[in-house]
Amino acid sequence: MGLPGIDGIPGLTGDPGVQGPVGLQGVPGKQGPFGRAGLPGQSVRVGYTLVKHSQSEQVPLCPIGMSQLWGGYSLLFVEGQEKAHNQDLGFAGSCLPRFSTMPFIYCNINEVCHYARRNDKSYWLSTTAPIPMMPVGQTQIPQYISRCSVCEAPSQAIAVHSQDITIPQCPLGWRSLWIGYSFLMHTAAGAEGGGQSLVSPGSCLEDFRATPFIECSGARGTCHYFANKYSFWLTTVEERQQFREEPVSETLKAGQFHTRVSRCQVCMKSL
C-alpha cells in the first residue's frame, strides 16, 4: 500500500436541506417579577352642581359620594325698585356664602351707587322657629334663616312630581336623593315674587310649611313674616276626574295640608 495522498481542495457549499418538522412545546418558564405600581388615576369631573337646603339652622350634608363646594344661606329672591328677581332653589346662586338683609347695592346713570337707602327687600327660606310677634334683628335673625350646601354631583338631578299624596318613583336607571313636597311659586310685597322650574330640585322641598320664607328689610336690617306673603304648591289631582268637572272650592287648615299637597322625589342618573 502506498503513502496517503495530499488533502484535496474543499468542495462547493451544498444546497440548503429540507426544513425539519416542528419541535415539541417547551416547558413553561418561571413567573417574572412584579412590575412597578402605576400612577394614581384621575377621575373625570363633569362640573354638575346640586344644591341642598336644610330649612333649618344646620348646614346640610351633601348626599353620599358628593363633596361640598361651599355652604351658605338659602336666598329665595330679592326685590329692588319694587320689582322681584327670583332665584331657582336648584341652582348654586340660591346659596349665598354670607347673609345680609340687604345683599345688593343699586347704581344709576350718574355713576353713583347707593346702599340701604330705599325700602328694598330680600327673601330667604326659613326654619321651623316659631313665628315672632315683632320683626327680629341682628343676633335674633340666624335662627330663622335656612342653611344650604352646594355639592359637586356626578350627573344631573331632576325633580319628579306625583300630583298625588304618594311618593313618585324615580325613572329607571335613576337613584333617589330625597323626597319632599312640590313647591311651585311665591309672592310677597306688591304681588311680586317668582317660582321654581318643576324639573329643578328646588321645586321639591323636604319640609312643607305654609310660610316657607321670611322677608328682610334692607334699610331697617330686620326680618319678619308679613301677612302679604303667599306660597303656592302643586296640588293633588284625581286621575279619574281629569277633564270631567270644575275644581271644588275648599279651605284647608292646620293638619289638613298634607291631604292636598303633591309629593315629589329628587332623582339622579346612576352612572
Side-chain angles (χ1 to χ4, degrees), residues 73 75 77-79 96 98-104 115-116 118-124 136-142 145 214-224:
Y73 300 87
L75 177 66
F77 73 105
V78 294
E79 182 184 309
L96 290 187
R98 298 183 181 181
F99 173 85
S100 173
T101 57
M102 180 45 54
F104 60 92
Y115 179 70
R118 303 185 304 194
N119 193 30
D120 293 335
K121 305 175 181 67
S122 62
Y123 297 82
W124 307 78
V136 296
Q138 300 176 350
T139 58
Q140 294 178 304
I141 294 178
I145 307 300
I214 191 169
E215 174 184 309
C216 295
S217 172
R220 290 190 291 270
T222 59
C223 300
H224 194 49

Side-chain angles (χ1 to χ4, degrees), residues 233-252:
W233 306 77
L234 276 187
T235 188
T236 58
V237 177
E238 292 288 342
E239 185 174 3
R240 64 178 180 274
Q241 294 185 3
Q242 297 179 92
F243 312 110
R244 290 192 176 182
E245 58 185 45
E246 67 279 2
V248 178
S249 177
E250 59 181 318
T251 300
L252 306 176

Side-chain angles (χ1 to χ4, degrees), residues 21-221:
V22 179
L24 299 175
Q25 184 174 354
V27 179
K30 295 181 180 180
Q31 182 175 351
F34 290 103
R36 294 180 181 179
L39 297 175
Q42 294 183 348
S43 62
V44 178
R45 297 182 180 273
V46 293
Y48 289 109
T49 57
L50 176 76
V51 186
K52 192 168 176 59
H53 302 274
S54 68
Q55 296 178 268
S56 74
E57 289 185 80
Q58 305 300 318
V59 177
L61 297 175
C62 290
I64 296 175
M66 302 184 200
S67 58
Q68 185 191 60
L69 299 180
W70 70 83
Y73 300 87
S74 304
L75 177 66
L76 184 60
F77 73 105
V78 294
E79 182 184 309
Q81 196 72 17
E82 299 183 349
K83 294 295 181 182
H85 179 69
N86 184 63
Q87 293 293 328
D88 190 312
L89 294 174
F91 291 172
S94 67
C95 188
L96 290 187
R98 298 183 181 181
F99 173 85
S100 173
T101 57
M102 180 45 54
F104 60 92
I105 64 174
Y106 70 95
C107 304
N108 58 34
I109 196 173
N110 298 318
E111 296 189 1
V112 176
C113 298
H114 300 278
Y115 179 70
R117 291 284 302 275
R118 303 185 304 194
N119 193 30
D120 293 335
K121 305 175 181 67
S122 62
Y123 297 82
W124 307 78
L125 274 189
S126 57
T127 67
T128 54
I131 295 178
M133 297 297 294
M134 300 292 291
V136 296
Q138 300 176 350
T139 58
Q140 294 178 304
I141 294 178
Q143 62 180 308
Y144 296 98
I145 307 300
S146 168
R147 302 302 303 272
C148 55
S149 288
V150 177
C151 312
E152 185 176 22
S155 61
Q156 187 176 13
I158 62 171
V160 181
H161 305 272
S162 67
Q163 295 181 271
D164 199 337
I165 61 173
T166 59
I167 306 298
Q169 297 295 317
C170 287
L172 186 63
W174 295 63
R175 66 185 179 95
S176 173
L177 297 180
W178 69 81
I179 61 175
Y181 298 87
S182 304
F183 184 46
L184 180 61
M185 59 176 286
H186 48 274
T187 60
E192 288 290 322
Q196 306 298 311
S197 170
L198 291 176
V199 75
S200 166
S203 67
C204 188
L205 294 184
E206 292 187 79
D207 293 322
F208 172 84
R209 293 159 199 181
T211 52
F213 62 98
I214 191 169
E215 174 184 309
C216 295
S217 172
R220 290 190 291 270

